[in-house]
Amino acid sequence: MGLEFDRKDLKSIADYSAQIARLRESLATRIVGQEAIVTQVLAAVFSEGHCLIVGVPGLAKTLLVRSLAELFTLDFSRIQFTPDLMPSDIIGASLLEEDHAGKREFHFLRGPIFSNVILADEINRTPPKTQAALMEAMEERQVTAGGTNVPIDRPFFVLATQNPIEQEGTYPLPVSQLDRFQQSVQIDYPEAAEEFEIVQQTTSSYDPSLQPLLTKEAVVELIALTAKITVPRRILDYVSKIVRSTRPESEEAPQFVNEWISWGAGPRGIQAILSSARSLALMDGRTEINAGDVHEMAFPALRHRMVPTYHAEAEGVDCDAIVKKILTEMPDSLYKPEECERGDRPGFLQRLLGRS
């Protein structure tokens, strides 16, 4: 599953892999630690997927997105979601205008959604009617205004943030919209050494500036190259088995899934794992994904597509723990937990959340 690579493609993959390494180095001057989080967000960007970033206040969620936007020569819009935000504040509105001849016509005034990178800050602070304004744009890369379909310039991806603590006055995202996010990334508190460095930087005159490293054309080519990364048939079957194992009452589902999950991941779960795994392979300079890529991206791709039962919540079992158990018990025995030193380590956010 994949396309043939010519010499030009192989050279482009090697060159872009080196450029992405430099991009990460530049990003590290402003974002301390959080390497796994940066990897997951970049994996979404280079496969033109949408990403939901979940974390308590002060963990640089917004700063991460803004810094990434500075490293690309892409149009960037920040939308601060509030309870009084209207759909027209996002997609735009048709206004009646009069020309010099006195003729009146409706003209569509484009909203902030017409950008390449959208920062949807605190997306769960606005009512479902406004949240739904994003749905068509996220899925179809277009909006409907005045009976006309208005395409959105590519590349296009929504990077949304969400605070999981304060639930008063918030509106949980509907399942249909959660499924449109390729990944749900959970940011936990930094390690002690990282926090010390953060305090040193933010309480001094240190103010690093970022220069664009990837042009719009380069990002478009990166996305096209990512789609060509080979997916071996055995890996495709493996991912399919993983996702099907999350569905209770299915043939592949183990007994603990029937007890802990009331609703499993759909086909988009398979697509999300493969798309983001392809990005990992490209960032590493490879032309083919492997099982390690799948294991690393299974957590952010599946945790928001699974609905735990009350029994699981009562036992303190979250979706990450279920995904880990599924991977561990797969008959292929490919998963080695020690190889995945990522953000799925037990932390404050995972103890707080069973589902993002």
Side-chain angles (χ1 to χ4, degrees):
M1 182 181 172
L3 302 176
E4 293 294 329
F5 292 95
D6 55 26
R7 289 185 177 180
K8 181 181 177 181
D9 289 334
L10 295 175
K11 184 178 185 304
S12 295
I13 290 176
D15 291 344
Y16 281 130
S17 177
Q19 287 188 47
I20 293 170
R22 290 194 294 271
L23 183 147
R24 294 178 67 106
E25 290 176 1
S26 295
L27 195 61
T29 63
R30 186 176 291 180
I31 305 295
V32 178
Q34 306 290 6
E35 293 183 4
I37 304 303
V38 171
T39 298
Q40 292 167 17
V41 175
L42 287 176
V45 169
F46 295 141
S47 55
E48 203 179 5
H50 309 297
C51 190
L52 179 64
I53 306 173
V54 182
V56 298
L59 298 185
K61 301 185 297 296
T62 302
L63 180 62
L64 171 60
V65 178
R66 292 186 65 90
S67 300
L68 280 175
E70 291 182 34
L71 292 168
F72 304 137
T73 57
L74 300 174
D75 293 333
F76 172 74
S77 290
R78 173 178 177 172
I79 306 174
Q80 187 67 47
F81 281 73
T82 57
D84 59 348
L85 193 71
M86 299 295 292
S88 59
D89 296 327
I90 296 176
I91 64 175
S94 295
L95 303 178
L96 184 62
E97 295 182 349
E98 183 176 330
D99 60 17
H100 296 293
K103 183 180 179 181
R104 294 184 177 183
E105 289 183 340
F106 279 100
H107 292 275
F108 180 63
L109 181 64
R110 297 189 172 202
I113 195 70
F114 289 92
S115 295
N116 301 121
V117 184
I118 305 297
L119 168 56
D121 213 2
E122 295 190 289
I123 192 173
N124 59 331
R125 295 288 177 185
T126 202
K129 180 179 180 180
T130 305
Q131 291 173 355
L134 279 175
M135 294 182 68
E136 181 185 8
M138 291 174 65
E139 183 66 19
E140 306 293 338
R141 265 72 176 184
Q142 67 175 24
V143 300
T144 302
T148 303
N149 294 332
V150 184
I152 296 175
D153 192 23
R154 307 289 286 271
F156 172 76
F157 27 82
V158 175
L159 304 177
T161 68
Q162 182 172 295
N163 175 5
I165 295 183
E166 297 174 350
Q167 299 302 319
E168 184 177 353
T170 63
Y171 304 86
L173 292 171
V175 174
S176 61
Q177 191 163 339
L178 276 174
D179 198 42
R180 281 169 167 77
F181 285 98
Q182 183 192 94
Q183 298 179 42
S184 174
V185 176
Q186 291 184 354
I187 300 183
D188 213 332
Y189 286 121
E191 300 290 346
E194 295 173 347
E195 192 161 13
F196 181 79
E197 185 176 350
I198 291 171
V199 173
Q200 279 189 316
Q201 291 185 6
T202 57
T203 57
S204 68
S205 58
Y206 179 77
D207 185 19
S209 61
L210 301 179
Q211 301 299 322
L213 296 179
L214 289 175
T215 64
K216 181 178 180 179
E217 292 73 21
V219 174
V220 171
E221 186 177 355
L222 261 169
I223 293 171
L225 276 175
T226 299
K228 296 174 69 174
I229 296 295
T230 303
V231 179
R233 179 57 188 265
R234 69 182 188 281
I235 295 295
L236 180 60
D237 291 340
Y238 182 57
V239 174
S240 179
K241 289 177 183 177
I242 292 172
V243 174
R244 293 183 65 82
S245 295
T246 68
R247 303 168 189 168
E249 308 304 331
S250 68
E251 293 182 3
E252 292 86 353
Q255 183 58 37
F256 67 85
V257 168
N258 294 329
E259 295 178 3
W260 289 341
I261 295 294
S262 59
W263 196 264
R268 277 192 184 135
I270 302 175
Q271 296 168 353
I273 293 175
L274 293 179
S275 295
S276 51
R278 277 174 156 158
S279 292
L280 289 188
L282 184 139
M283 286 190 279
D284 200 31
R286 293 180 279 111
T287 61
E288 181 177 296
I289 71 172
N290 56 38
D293 300 326
V294 170
H295 299 151
E296 185 169 351
M297 302 316 300
F299 294 89
L302 295 180
R303 61 166 62 106
H304 59 300
R305 292 183 164 92
M306 300 162 59
V307 181
T309 62
Y310 290 114
H311 179 61
E313 293 178 348
E315 292 188 354
V317 178
D318 62 14
C319 290
D320 277 15
I322 298 172
V323 172
K324 186 173 184 178
K325 190 170 178 62
I326 289 173
L327 294 176
T328 302
E329 298 192 4
M330 289 294 291
D332 309 73
S333 300
L334 297 176
Y335 179 65
K336 302 294 187 292
E338 61 274 9
E339 294 178 359
C340 297
E341 305 232 345
R342 352 156 2 268
D344 63 335
R345 58 183 170 78
F348 169 77
L349 190 58
Q350 290 193 342
R351 294 194 300 271
L352 179 69
L353 289 178
R355 175 183 170 222
S356 302

